[in-house]
Amino acid sequence: MQLIDLADTPGEEPDFLAQLHGVCNTLGLEYASYASANPISGKIHAFTTYPDAWKDHYMAQSLHLVDPTLRAAARSIAPVDWRRLEHDNSFRDVFGPARDFNLPDTGLTIPVRGPMGDIGLFSVTATVAPDAWRRLTGPIMGQLQTAAVHLHDTVMHSDALTRILRQPHLSTREQEVLQWVAAGKSQQDIGDILSISSRTVEVHLRSAREKLCTLTTAQAVGRAVSLGLIQPR
């Protein structure tokens, strides 16, 4: 699985590192990182304020494949405190070398789940004792959660493949059917207008609902209008 450094994105993309540095400076943290798995390409997009030497080592050794902070948080709905991680081989593979780079092992990772199956993982850390870490993160947990969501949404909207996911491709016939539904026509009316059976109309409606991630035809029409796929009537 490929790991892509979003700090190297073109100039027109958001300055992801500036956002991380802002979080650290505002909340008194030492390092921050973000990673997400693109639900379409499967690639992992990441950026971090860690030193370049550690970042290069992490990528060269493909540590994202075994990193317990990412694996645990990807399975969780709540923030994962690194102190509670099992000290297994994966933990030693990541945190052993990290100590050689004089990096802290006190931190937490906050998972964020998006509406299209996307998952973001926001990690923060600081060189403090466990008690001091609790005192530091307790009062700012809400701000960290907000920062995690903001980072994730920014990354997801900046990625071309995910923009395609969020802008579903409807066939011409599916758009026509939804447009006539928006105009107040029944399935039988639409079938007569388009010279297809009512059952075929329902097939197109079901496909459009699935592509638009909606449960009802009314919701599908509303989302298609909001996305500019059909015109409101």
Side-chain angles (χ1 to χ4, degrees):
M1 185 178 293
Q2 185 180 3
L3 177 63
I4 299 173
D5 183 6
L6 282 181
D8 293 331
T9 51
E12 67 269 13
E13 294 286 14
D15 189 343
F16 300 114
L17 279 181
Q19 295 184 44
L20 286 185
H21 282 297
V23 171
C24 290
N25 293 336
T26 301
L27 301 181
L29 299 162
E30 192 168 354
Y31 300 112
S33 302
Y34 169 86
S36 66
N38 186 292
I40 295 179
S41 68
K43 296 176 181 177
I44 293 181
H45 294 167
F47 51 102
T48 182
T49 65
Y50 278 119
D52 287 341
W54 170 249
K55 184 174 70 174
D56 292 343
H57 174 82
Y58 189 96
M59 296 182 71
Q61 299 299 315
S62 298
L63 294 182
H64 62 287
L65 298 177
V66 298
D67 192 333
T69 68
L70 303 182
R71 292 166 61 185
R75 298 191 298 265
S76 177
I77 60 173
V80 173
D81 193 307
W82 296 356
R83 293 170 302 160
R84 299 177 182 173
L85 295 171
E86 182 180 353
H87 287 207
D88 55 11
N89 289 336
S90 295
F91 184 94
R92 289 185 286 271
D93 287 343
V94 174
F95 283 93
R99 282 191 291 271
D100 296 335
F101 283 82
N102 296 314
L103 298 176
D105 59 5
T106 303
L108 60 84
T109 301
I110 299 172
V112 180
R113 283 170 169 74
M116 303 298 180
D118 41 294
I119 299 177
L121 303 170
F122 175 52
S123 300
V124 294
T125 184
T127 305
V128 294
D131 287 345
W133 177 249
R134 284 194 295 271
R135 291 193 297 271
L136 172 63
T137 57
I140 63 173
M141 186 60 69
Q143 292 167 276
L144 290 173
Q145 299 263 20
T146 299
V149 171
H150 176 70
L151 279 167
H152 182 68
D153 287 351
T154 300
V155 171
M156 287 295 102
H157 283 96
S158 71
D159 183 82
L161 286 174
T162 306
R163 279 198 290 267
I164 293 173
L165 178 65
R166 294 176 183 270
Q167 184 78 19
H169 175 71
L170 297 182
S171 69
T172 300
R173 186 64 88 189
E174 288 164 351
Q175 289 178 287
E176 287 176 334
V177 168
L178 285 178
Q179 188 66 73
W180 283 115
V181 172
K185 300 299 183 181
S186 68
Q187 285 188 207
Q188 186 61 56
D189 291 337
I190 297 170
D192 293 340
I193 293 169
L194 299 178
S195 299
I196 58 178
S197 69
S198 176
R199 182 175 181 179
T200 301
V201 171
E202 174 54 35
V203 169
H204 290 305
L205 286 174
R206 182 167 62 248
S207 177
R209 289 194 297 267
E210 291 175 354
K211 289 180 179 180
L212 292 166
C213 299
T214 55
L215 296 177
T216 68
T217 297
Q219 291 173 351
V221 169
R223 180 157 290 168
V225 170
S226 69
L227 292 173
L229 299 174
I230 64 174
Q231 299 300 312
R233 290 293 180 91

